[in-house]
Amino acid sequence: MSALFLHVVERDFLAYKRMWLVFLSGFAEPVFFLLSIGVGVGELVGDVHVGGETVSYQAFVAPALLAVSAMNGAVFDTTFNFFFKYKYSKSFDAMLATPLGPTDVAMGELTWALLRGTIYSTAFFALLLAFGLVASPWAVLAVPVAMLIGFAFAGAGMAATTWMRSFVDFDYVGIVLIPLFLFSATFFPISEYPTGLQIVVRCTPLYQGVALERSLILGDVSWALLGHACYLAVMGVVGLWVAGRRLGRLLQP
Amino acid sequence: MSETPLIDARGLVKRFGDFTAVDHLDVQVQPGEAFGFLGPNGAGKTSTMRMIACVSQRDGGALSVLGMDPATEGSAIRARLGVVPQDDTLDLELTVRDNVLIYGRYFGLSRAETRRRADELLEFVQLTDRRDDRVDALSGGMRRRLTIARSLVNQPELVLLDEPTTGLDPQARHLVWERLYRLKRSGATLVLTTHYMDEAEQLCDRLVIMDGGRIVAEGSPRALIDRHSTRDVVELRFADEHAQHAALARLEQVGERREVLPDRVLVYTADGDADVERLTSDGPHPESLLVRRSTLEDVFLTLTGRSLEE
Ligand SMILES: Nc1ncnc2c1ncn2[C@@H]1O[C@H](COP(=O)(O)OP(=O)(O)OP(=O)(O)O)[C@@H](O)[C@H]1O
Ligand SMILES: [Mg+2]
């Protein structure tokens, strides 16, 4: 493997050069959520207690939304967009006729998804700063962690996509994402969940991201965060490995 | 032929499930040669080309391309190949020029160098005035030309062309032939498949005819004609079936071999003009009569049959 995969990223830049509107849309979603849920629901709910501190509901939800948006962006890029590319557009077939191999293609597409995600995360983080929702200097790690979340979900999304047969199968993506979105301690502290559900939630991937972002942005840092980070890193690496292998078999019968 | 072959396939096998698409193929291509794969639809030409291009794993036998094994050194081999696949794999989200540019980048070429080559190649396939159009706006033949241009961006030593001129108009086809001659003169090795016998005769030093995943004949176009056909062919058309049927007995007495088709009779013979003279003096009265030289097409049809298989 070599730096050749960067040319896959270059290809995506060329293709998106003319589609910057698509780019902007990725930013709108978390902002809408922050405004509607953070501000609207926050009025009704009042303050929340986390790690011995009391914070506004908006400050509580904002880090989770950063994690959610990193997940959604990565999944969208590596499922819908990736599926279209490998099934209908011939761009991957063209790449594989050159020195590039399947793993280069998978790495390139993943890097692209991460780059895009990082731009969104940075913009969203700037918004949190502007709203005064960032409480701790540890928050400098918020964007890198968003990249890690993006990496984990991009790897998993890409691997899952190699099993999809048509766009109908993408309903399953929603079936997985929506519960993750709702039940990853996104909107309530995990202590509010029933004990059984707590155990399940602690094992799910988005929870790791939410816990990381919330601790860093609110300044409630502990060694446990390394565990969450490892979980995400392993998930991304395994996903990428599986995707690279399966892509080779699918595209080179 | 003492040089080490550029492509060396021995007992090469490709299977799709239970079906054997390439069945113990033996082929050697020497450096500087223009080599052709001919064969009816489904003969296994594309399957073979894809294994040589290192985009498809072989299921048996030995294969070496540019002295390397595609199973382990695919990337290094592909770096020195130019590939025109049977179905265009152009990037529909990019413009004409960007297609060539990014393809050059996949080979690790510098931006400046790729730009220079892209402009030159677009000029050659006469797409310079379409360079900023998106690929979906091109006609089928223009796309084919773009695919050919793109395949040359890395200045390949070995060019694999799977039906390169299918869908091209005569002008474009001659343009491509001319470019391929030039490539060959500069030392490149060409391997192509085609359904156009004139293209094979024009371009190939040597070719194989495949059928059902196996080679049924091999040699230069001239040698194949000499070996598998006669010098001349007389084609006779009759007013109706009865006339044709009535004439057959007489036709038995001329030429080396006859082929009776629904609409005409072919007489394969060493000297067509002499036979025609003998026939017209006393013989049947065909509606039309044509004497021509044997072509590769006659060889092809003789060896692979006239009916569509399957
Ligand atoms: N991916 C595949 N899966 C299953 N069968 C395949 C696949 N690719 C090719 N085949 C089969 O292998 C056989 C050889 O196909 P191939 O494409 O090599 O033929 P070809 O000689 O190139 O024909 P054509 O002149 O039509 O291009 C065909 O019977 C085809 O159906
Ligand atoms: Mg073919």
Side-chain angles (χ1 to χ4, degrees):
Chain A
M1 205 187 307
S2 61
L4 279 177
F5 77 93
L6 289 175
H7 300 310
V8 179
V9 182
E10 195 178 334
R11 182 256 160 217
D12 288 332
F13 261 112
L14 277 179
Y16 273 80
K17 216 165 49 178
R18 322 158 176 268
M19 297 195 275
W20 54 271
L21 252 182
V22 181
F23 231 109
L24 281 188
S25 66
F27 179 59
E29 189 190 274
V31 174
F32 290 154
F33 270 120
L34 183 66
L35 295 181
S36 66
I37 298 180
V39 178
V41 180
E43 289 292 307
L44 302 171
V45 177
D47 291 347
V48 185
H49 305 281
V50 240
E53 305 242 358
T54 305
V55 297
S56 73
Y57 186 67
Q58 222 180 339
F60 173 78
V61 169
L65 290 177
L66 179 59
V68 168
S69 110
M71 170 183 85
N72 281 342
V75 169
F76 188 78
D77 256 341
T78 55
T79 55
F80 286 96
N81 290 349
F82 186 72
F83 185 75
F84 173 79
K85 275 186 195 158
Y86 107 75
K87 206 87 177 186
Y88 298 104
S89 118
K90 300 279 179 188
S91 56
F92 290 172
D93 295 285
M95 289 172 189
L96 294 176
T98 73
L100 294 170
T103 308
D104 295 311
V105 173
M107 278 187 38
E109 289 298 326
L110 191 127
T111 307
W112 169 250
L114 283 189
L115 277 180
R116 248 174 86 154
T118 306
I119 294 169
Y120 298 146
S121 305
T122 309
F124 189 67
F125 183 71
L127 196 73
L128 299 193
L129 273 177
F131 281 6
L133 298 172
V134 175
S136 155
W138 283 103
V140 295
L141 293 177
V143 170
V145 163
M147 289 176 75
L148 180 63
I149 297 168
F151 173 64
F153 280 96
M158 199 177 275
T161 303
T162 60
W163 270 280
M164 310 242 175
R165 315 199 124 252
S166 74
F167 275 107
V168 179
D169 288 337
F170 284 96
D171 289 345
Y172 296 111
V173 176
I175 292 176
V176 175
L177 287 197
I178 290 169
L180 286 182
F181 171 55
L182 294 174
F183 298 105
S184 293
T186 328
F187 299 107
F188 333 93
I190 187 147
S191 53
E192 305 281 315
Y193 292 73
T195 324
L197 189 57
Q198 271 191 40
I199 294 168
V200 176
V201 168
R202 282 182 198 281
C203 296
T204 59
L206 181 59
Y207 171 74
Q208 322 297 320
V210 170
L212 275 166
E213 293 291 12
R214 188 168 282 147
S215 303
L216 292 170
I217 291 175
L218 299 180
D220 176 26
V221 175
S222 70
W223 287 110
L225 297 192
L226 284 181
H228 298 311
C230 282
Y231 179 118
L232 293 173
V234 170
M235 176 170 158
V237 169
V238 172
L240 181 62
W241 181 77
V242 171
R245 282 188 63 99
R246 290 199 30 96
L247 207 58
R249 252 182 290 158
L250 287 170
L251 290 176
Q252 306 186 318
Chain B
M1 292 217 181
S2 58
E3 282 175 284
T4 43
L6 215 55
I7 300 172
D8 192 356
R10 290 175 199 271
L12 189 61
V13 173
K14 182 71 199 178
R15 290 194 191 91
F16 297 104
D18 293 337
F19 178 75
T20 306
V22 178
D23 193 2
H24 297 89
L25 196 77
D26 290 301
V27 160
Q28 280 80 39
V29 178
Q30 304 299 328
E33 215 177 2
F35 186 89
F37 285 102
L38 268 52
N41 293 142
K45 304 180 295 294
T46 297
S47 306
T48 306
M49 293 287 264
R50 284 175 54 84
M51 287 188 278
I52 298 171
C54 313
V55 295
S56 169
Q57 298 272 336
R58 65 178 182 266
D59 295 310
L63 177 62
S64 133
V65 180
L66 298 162
M68 292 178 275
D69 183 348
T72 53
E73 291 171 287
S75 182
I77 297 172
R78 291 194 301 267
R80 293 158 62 188
L81 298 184
V83 180
V84 175
Q86 181 165 2
D87 298 317
D88 292 323
T89 58
L90 294 168
D91 199 321
L92 299 180
E93 289 176 286
L94 300 182
T95 63
V96 168
R97 186 163 181 263
D98 282 349
N99 257 283
V100 185
L101 286 180
I102 196 64
Y103 203 71
R105 297 288 287 155
Y106 295 155
F107 284 91
L109 299 176
S110 76
R111 279 206 184 76
E113 183 61 19
T114 325
R115 239 178 266 133
R116 200 184 59 69
R117 291 188 194 175
D119 292 339
E120 191 255 325
L121 287 167
L122 289 181
E123 190 65 46
F124 146 60
V125 292
Q126 300 180 357
L127 284 174
T128 304
D129 52 333
R130 305 299 298 265
R131 50 193 263 172
D132 294 321
D133 289 351
R134 273 173 57 130
V135 170
D136 17 16
L138 296 185
S139 77
M142 291 176 185
R143 289 187 202 191
R144 203 68 191 142
R145 271 145 59 187
L146 180 56
T147 301
I148 294 173
R150 191 180 71 166
S151 74
L152 301 178
V153 75
N154 60 325
Q155 299 182 331
E157 292 161 56
L158 171 59
V159 190
L160 305 173
L161 306 122
D162 199 347
E163 301 191 23
T165 62
T166 297
L168 294 189
D169 61 28
Q171 287 85 348
R173 174 184 300 193
H174 283 278
L175 202 75
V176 168
W177 286 356
E178 192 215 340
R179 177 75 182 207
L180 293 178
Y181 280 130
R182 251 168 54 202
L183 259 175
K184 188 172 171 255
R185 257 206 312 276
S186 70
T189 306
L190 308 180
V191 176
L192 60 118
T193 78
T194 181
H195 288 300
Y196 300 116
M197 298 301 134
D198 56 335
E199 180 162 285
E201 284 196 57
Q202 286 266 344
L203 288 178
C204 297
D205 301 322
R206 205 158 59 86
L207 51 89
V208 292
I209 297 178
M210 289 180 73
D211 198 10
R214 294 163 180 271
I215 291 177
V216 293
E218 172 171 1
S220 70
R222 192 67 255 161
L224 283 170
I225 295 169
D226 290 346
R227 197 175 325 139
H228 296 282
S229 193
T230 51
R231 194 190 73 161
D232 292 343
V233 180
V234 184
E235 297 198 15
L236 304 104
R237 280 175 204 274
F238 294 90
D240 53 47
E241 272 175 53
H242 294 293
Q244 177 164 320
H245 194 76
L248 282 182
R250 175 70 184 94
L251 292 177
E252 288 290 328
Q253 296 156 15
V254 292
E256 291 174 20
R257 187 161 59 84
R258 275 136 307 271
E259 192 173 1
V260 182
L261 303 175
D263 63 333
R264 68 210 143 114
V265 180
L266 304 186
V267 177
Y268 294 89
T269 173
D271 188 346
D273 291 324
D275 282 346
V276 167
E277 236 166 75
R278 284 168 57 200
L279 283 176
T280 42
S281 59
D282 63 339
H285 298 287
E287 229 174 26
S288 75
L289 186 150
L290 169 77
V291 184
R292 58 170 177 79
R293 284 298 175 106
S294 266
T295 64
L296 203 50
E297 191 139 346
D298 297 307
V299 177
F300 185 90
L301 290 171
T302 304
L303 290 175
T304 60
R306 275 181 195 272
S307 60
L308 291 175
E309 279 148 59
E310 286 155 325

